[in-house]
Amino acid sequence: QVQLVESGGGLVQAGGSLRLSCAASGRTFSIYAMGWFRQAPGKEREFVGAITWSGDRISYLDSVKGRFTISRDNAKNTVYLQMNSLKPEDTAVYYCAAARIRPGVDVTGLYDYWGQGTQVTVSS
């Protein structure tokens, strides 16, 4: 099992920045990739971005490219989501997730472990 704990959400004005953190614990050696997802009220959860544990592949949702940056610190078992130039439409609960190493796994595929979520609210 892998446990994930997010932090760093909050309220920010449009154009501002926030950095989310996701600390992983447990069987972290079994992780292939760490991803960020978000779910706005009344909408389905959507993929925001992900990074492989090795860092050799990063993927982003088109609407956040150039504004959001994913990075990881393997020594701390932590993944970050730096969010700049935030827009009101970025308002959502943001979830961290981890995908196990398994045949066919991909950064944009299924994720096995989820954090509790952290609220990000961008005011206009």
Side-chain angles (χ1 to χ4, degrees), residues 38 47-48 58-69 84-85 87 90:
R38 66 187 181 187
F47 172 84
V48 174
I58 301 176
S59 180
Y60 294 101
L61 176 69
D62 283 347
S63 63
V64 308
K65 286 180 180 177
R67 299 189 299 123
F68 291 10
T69 303
N84 299 328
S85 302
K87 304 175 181 180
D90 294 317

Side-chain angles (χ1 to χ4, degrees), residues 38-46 91-93 95 119:
R38 66 187 181 187
Q39 187 166 21
K43 295 186 177 181
E44 294 187 352
R45 185 174 61 196
E46 66 176 351
T91 295
V93 177
Y95 296 91
Q119 178 69 47

Side-chain angles (χ1 to χ4, degrees), residues 40-89:
K43 295 186 177 181
E44 294 187 352
R45 185 174 61 196
E46 66 176 351
F47 172 84
V48 174
I51 184 170
T52 53
W53 205 241
S54 64
D56 64 342
R57 185 175 176 196
I58 301 176
S59 180
Y60 294 101
L61 176 69
D62 283 347
S63 63
V64 308
K65 286 180 180 177
R67 299 189 299 123
F68 291 10
T69 303
I70 293 176
S71 61
R72 89 265 186 262
D73 183 336
N74 288 4
K76 296 182 178 179
N77 289 334
T78 299
V79 172
Y80 305 96
L81 180 66
Q82 178 67 44
M83 304 184 293
N84 299 328
S85 302
L86 282 161
K87 304 175 181 180
E89 51 263 44

